[in-house]
Amino acid sequence: MDEEPERAKRWEGGYERTWEVLKEDESGSLRASVEEILYQAKRKRVMETHGQVRLGMMRHLYVVIDCSRSMEDQDLKPNRLSSTLKVLHPPPTFSTSKGVGIITTKNKRAEKLTELAGNPKKHVAALRKAVDTVCAGEPSLYNALSLAVHTLKHMPGHTSREVLIVLSSLTTCDPSNIYELIKTLKSLKVRVSVIGLSAEVRVCTVLTRETGGFYHVILDESHFKELLMLHVKPPPASASSECSLIRMGFPQHCVASLSDQDAKPSFSMSQLDGDSPGLSLSGYFCPQCHAKYTELPVECKVCGLTLVSAPHLARSFHHLFPLQAFTESPVEQHTDRSCQGCQGRLKDRSVFSCPSCFSSFCMDCDLFIHDSLHCCPCCIHGPSVS
Amino acid sequence: MVMGNSHMAMTRTNKLAVIASHCQDSHFLYPMKNWGSSDGATDDASCSGDGKYELLSVTNNVIAEEMRNIMLKTEIKGNSTATLLAGSLAKALCYIHRVSKELAVGQEMKSRILVVKASEDCALQYMNFMNVIFAAQKQNILIDACVLDSDSGLLQQACDITGGLYLKIPQKVALAQYLLWVFLPDTEQRSQLVLPPPAHVDYRAACFCHQNLIEIGYVCSVCLSIFCKFSPICSTCQTAFKIQLPQMVKPKKKKLKQSI
């Protein structure tokens, strides 16, 4: 056996008496202890921060969805495919991804559903249509990965190249040796992560370990959503990725009013893809070549300049300046019985205080602040906060 | 207050919360913190005799009382005139989050935030403000803005991103009228009305070195800071950049043609 870090298996005592963790309350329901377990898992996610590590902020990500026969299984309601598509909608904003693309694999082949694009609208439309696809045949990991790598290897060196595979089948049908492909992936610095829907498959373990990604198998649908959220955070950048200054354009949205004599309706460059409504008076003009586009972010087809708007970059700032985890303390120590965030009463067992301003929050506010808000409501009242 | 009353009168299940925001802190005017415990005591005092809807009269009294308290109690420290809008919005979002969790199963509540603003923007709050706006967008909460004095770029962006309305009032005397006309209707009803056109929002970024608005800039791939000129080292994260040198083209050796 090669030298692998074997996770503790059941017979080695790795999973000791899991039934003892669950306790019933007086009415016989397990709800309290299940909530406790979920809550601890969430807290762990908040506590785990990478510290001062350089993150790979610009990402090119391919999502591979398995459309094989095993996706028709009913263990996730209504069937695995619909459940996957439901979890992917609304599409989570992977932090400043310059592009996300979708690949599906079935019948031993792989095909690209959407190209790498920054704007999620196309992906949403494609996913909506994909609900009706017939799941048949076997997936092919080799074909899907080589299709992804075919595009990813041309991407510039300062971006991180990633593939996220949602695999439900326990088999894969490959035309040639997948271990050779794994070596190629490693040399091209592509990071592959897998979310398994059935059980742990050894090939995936090796794949993710060699390329530096994560491999998880889901327990249920909410766990699926949480695992997806795990990939939203930017991964630590590999040591050899180059850092460079990228030239970007920030176009203005120009709306010509109907009373302006000189305003001419014009086609936008997205017409070339064949799916835009036609002539329009308003749009974003590229600062370099004045080509018109209807939506951002986009890469200008004429001059190659990446066009973004400032909020797109601002969306990822909270990854660079993560909010500290709040300290937990029992509720008896606090005489003031209301939460500073939502003005409700503190009714849980523990109260969370921000380490810098010492204001207290209830558990719901704590989760909300760390998941969505990313800033403490009381700290930003200080006049010297930038 | 007229607008608050009419909002609550429109549908029985509508709820209202009012927050005052000044340069040091923000404070919930309504509902008050210890609402549950003191219900019995205030009921006698605020029972209005003129047949008004009970909840409305209680609301009016509470708001007026708290406003008076704030004006009397706070001492002004320092002389900045910018209010802490980001903090108040964050507290509002937490409140909405709590109230929507307390609903019975099957009920859903659509929320919106109306900001009535008379002061200027505070440039230091940009990042916190953007965080709050994105959180509101994720929760599908509209942010509307009614600006009395000077235009606010931050609020324009907030309204554009979340899908709300931005309005700068030309005549301050008619404040109540504008509030009732523009901001009272729901999202479904707004599509039926002809409302003021959306303002032109300037989404250009400001460069970190001069704070000028730029159209083409250079973005550091590590820390996402924006610069107007190329420089070999990023000033925020101190990363040295690889400069792309022009490729050396080796001159092709011409094969000598052998003359036959």
Side-chain angles (χ1 to χ4, degrees):
Chain A
M1 292 289 275
D2 40 34
E3 65 287 343
E4 285 184 3
E6 287 280 351
R7 286 196 302 263
K9 303 274 197 262
R10 174 71 185 89
W11 57 88
E12 293 166 4
Y15 294 92
E16 275 292 344
R17 292 192 276 210
T18 47
W19 59 90
E20 285 191 359
V21 177
L22 296 176
K23 290 188 178 45
E24 290 183 359
D25 64 13
E26 58 266 7
S27 58
S29 90
L30 287 174
R31 208 178 120 211
S33 49
V34 169
E35 276 179 9
E36 172 80 20
I37 293 176
L38 286 176
Y39 163 67
Q40 291 290 347
K42 274 191 188 158
R43 283 285 291 172
K44 206 170 61 151
R45 187 157 53 97
V46 165
M47 296 293 234
E48 243 171 35
T49 45
H50 290 277
Q52 295 291 329
V53 173
R54 186 189 293 171
L55 299 170
M57 297 297 289
M58 308 254 175
R59 309 157 71 186
H60 290 286
L61 174 72
Y62 263 111
V63 178
V64 176
I65 304 181
D66 175 11
C67 285
S68 64
R69 209 178 23 212
S70 54
M71 279 298 235
E72 302 257 307
D73 246 353
Q74 307 254 340
D75 56 358
L76 290 176
K77 301 291 169 216
N79 63 3
R80 283 187 187 175
L81 182 63
S82 318
S83 197
T84 311
L85 295 174
K86 198 167 70 162
V87 162
L88 285 172
H89 174 78
T93 40
F94 297 95
S95 61
T96 337
S97 60
K98 296 287 294 299
V100 177
I102 306 183
I103 293 178
T104 56
T105 164
K106 65 179 176 186
N107 271 335
K108 307 170 195 140
R109 289 186 203 99
E111 62 177 57
K112 236 186 241 187
L113 205 60
T114 51
E115 297 280 345
L116 280 180
N119 206 328
K121 283 193 190 151
K122 277 206 190 112
H123 305 312
V124 171
L127 286 175
R128 222 174 269 152
K129 272 196 275 194
V131 178
D132 301 321
T133 51
V134 172
C135 301
E138 305 260 333
S140 174
L141 268 186
Y142 187 94
N143 287 339
L145 284 175
S146 55
L147 188 57
V149 158
H150 191 65
T151 323
L152 284 179
K153 70 180 175 204
H154 295 294
M155 291 298 142
H158 57 78
T159 56
S160 80
R161 305 164 185 156
E162 296 167 33
V163 181
L164 173 64
I165 307 181
V166 176
L167 191 69
S168 96
S169 123
L170 294 170
T171 58
T172 168
C173 187
D174 300 330
S176 69
N177 191 355
I178 199 168
Y179 289 98
E180 293 293 328
L181 186 63
I182 295 180
K183 283 203 191 86
T184 323
L185 289 172
K186 204 165 162 184
S187 66
L188 287 173
K189 301 191 198 73
V190 176
R191 195 193 305 253
V192 180
S193 301
V194 181
I195 296 182
L197 301 187
S198 310
E200 184 175 345
V201 177
R202 184 172 159 77
V203 148
C204 300
T205 319
V206 173
L207 173 62
T208 50
R209 201 190 53 232
E210 293 292 312
T211 53
F214 298 107
Y215 182 27
H216 297 280
V217 178
I218 65 166
L219 297 169
D220 56 23
E221 198 168 323
S222 50
H223 191 216
F224 193 178
K225 189 113 200 177
E226 274 190 34
L227 286 177
L228 207 61
M229 288 302 134
L230 203 69
H231 288 100
V232 167
K233 274 194 332 195
S238 58
S240 50
S241 64
E242 311 154 5
C243 349
S244 48
L245 278 183
I246 307 154
R247 201 149 171 272
M248 287 190 176
F250 299 95
Q252 289 248 45
H253 187 95
C254 294
V255 182
S257 62
L258 288 168
S259 56
D260 189 2
Q261 297 286 348
D262 289 332
K264 300 182 189 71
S266 46
F267 286 104
S268 70
M269 293 307 265
S270 48
Q271 264 264 300
L272 294 174
D273 293 329
D275 52 7
S276 101
L279 295 168
S280 54
L281 275 176
S282 65
Y284 296 95
F285 290 95
C286 168
Q288 212 172 28
C289 65
H290 285 284
K292 190 163 101 159
Y293 292 93
T294 44
E295 288 156 351
L296 297 180
V298 76
E299 189 171 328
C300 179
K301 289 191 177 79
V302 178
C303 60
L305 186 65
T306 314
L307 302 173
V308 291
S309 65
H312 286 118
L313 293 176
R315 233 177 256 269
S316 324
F317 281 156
H318 64 85
H319 292 291
L320 291 167
F321 306 106
L323 183 62
Q324 287 170 313
F326 288 174
T327 50
E328 198 174 337
S329 53
V331 74
E332 291 80 26
Q333 286 177 3
H334 294 261
T335 48
D336 177 24
R337 289 282 163 154
S338 61
C339 162
Q340 303 257 2
C342 61
Q343 316 293 318
R345 298 179 57 119
L346 293 170
K347 51 187 182 323
D348 316 304
R349 282 175 305 141
S350 43
V351 164
F352 298 89
S353 334
C354 168
S356 22
C357 65
F358 303 110
S359 37
S360 38
F361 297 102
C362 62
M363 183 164 77
D364 283 334
C365 280
D366 177 50
L367 285 174
F368 178 64
I369 288 172
H370 280 103
D371 280 338
S372 312
L373 211 49
H374 304 290
C375 51
C376 165
C378 300
C379 280
I380 54 188
H381 278 107
S384 57
V385 178
S386 60
Chain B
M1 278 201 305
V2 171
M3 176 166 172
N5 284 354
S6 29
H7 174 74
M8 289 207 293
M10 274 176 76
T11 318
R12 204 177 165 277
T13 49
N14 275 359
K15 289 198 184 129
L16 179 70
V18 179
I19 303 181
S21 161
H22 54 88
C23 37
Q24 271 120 346
D25 199 5
S26 59
H27 186 79
F28 269 78
L29 288 181
Y30 171 79
M32 292 191 327
K33 267 188 221 175
N34 33 8
W35 196 231
S37 56
S38 60
D39 240 355
T42 51
D43 258 352
D44 311 315
S46 60
C47 209
S48 68
D50 58 358
K52 251 204 282 194
Y53 184 27
E54 183 69 42
L55 191 56
L56 296 183
S57 61
V58 166
T59 312
N60 289 346
N61 290 344
V62 167
I63 290 181
E65 179 72 33
E66 288 286 317
M67 193 81 99
R68 229 173 277 138
N69 282 345
I70 292 186
M71 303 287 267
L72 293 174
K73 284 190 195 155
T74 31
E75 336 153 354
I76 307 291
K77 295 184 212 137
N79 47 5
S80 78
T81 51
T83 54
L84 299 161
L85 201 51
S88 323
L89 284 177
K91 281 196 180 174
L93 284 178
C94 284
Y95 180 77
I96 292 177
H97 180 74
R98 170 174 75 102
V99 173
S100 52
K101 273 211 165 168
E102 283 172 1
L103 291 178
V105 174
Q107 271 182 340
E108 44 169 69
M109 184 165 81
K110 280 203 212 137
S111 326
R112 9 180 207 133
I113 301 181
L114 168 65
V115 178
V116 180
K117 188 160 184 283
S119 58
E120 299 133 12
D121 274 345
C122 179
L124 300 169
Q125 299 243 309
Y126 177 73
M127 205 170 76
N128 295 323
F129 203 73
M130 296 309 270
N131 278 337
V132 172
I133 294 173
F134 292 131
Q137 192 200 14
K138 229 202 235 176
Q139 308 268 324
N140 289 328
I141 296 174
L142 296 180
I143 297 184
D144 299 320
C146 179
V147 170
L148 301 175
D149 207 4
S150 52
D151 263 331
S152 153
L154 288 180
L155 274 180
Q156 279 178 345
Q157 285 194 17
C159 297
D160 198 41
I161 290 176
T162 55
L165 277 174
Y166 174 87
L167 185 64
K168 180 173 186 313
I169 299 204
Q171 285 149 341
K172 296 197 194 95
V173 185
L175 177 64
Q177 191 173 342
Y178 280 109
L179 288 178
L180 283 177
W181 161 47
V182 179
F183 296 111
L184 190 56
D186 275 337
T187 9
E188 300 102 39
Q189 296 156 3
R190 274 183 200 182
S191 51
Q192 317 277 340
L193 301 168
V194 178
L195 293 168
H200 172 70
V201 190
D202 196 353
Y203 273 130
R204 287 179 298 176
C207 75
F208 278 45
C209 32
H210 312 112
Q211 306 294 328
N212 299 336
L213 292 173
I214 46 173
E215 290 212 326
I216 301 185
Y218 294 90
V219 176
C220 166
S221 60
V222 176
C223 63
L224 296 183
S225 34
I226 307 170
F227 301 105
C228 45
K229 288 196 298 269
F230 188 87
S231 71
I233 296 191
C234 168
S235 54
T236 333
C237 61
Q238 318 298 328
T239 344
F241 297 121
K242 262 188 157 183
I243 305 177
Q244 294 264 348
L245 294 170
Q247 303 263 341
M248 289 282 292
V249 179
K250 286 203 179 106
K252 282 200 182 130
K253 286 197 177 125
K254 283 205 175 113
K255 275 195 189 147
L256 292 172
K257 260 193 169 163
Q258 302 260 340
S259 53
I260 304 171

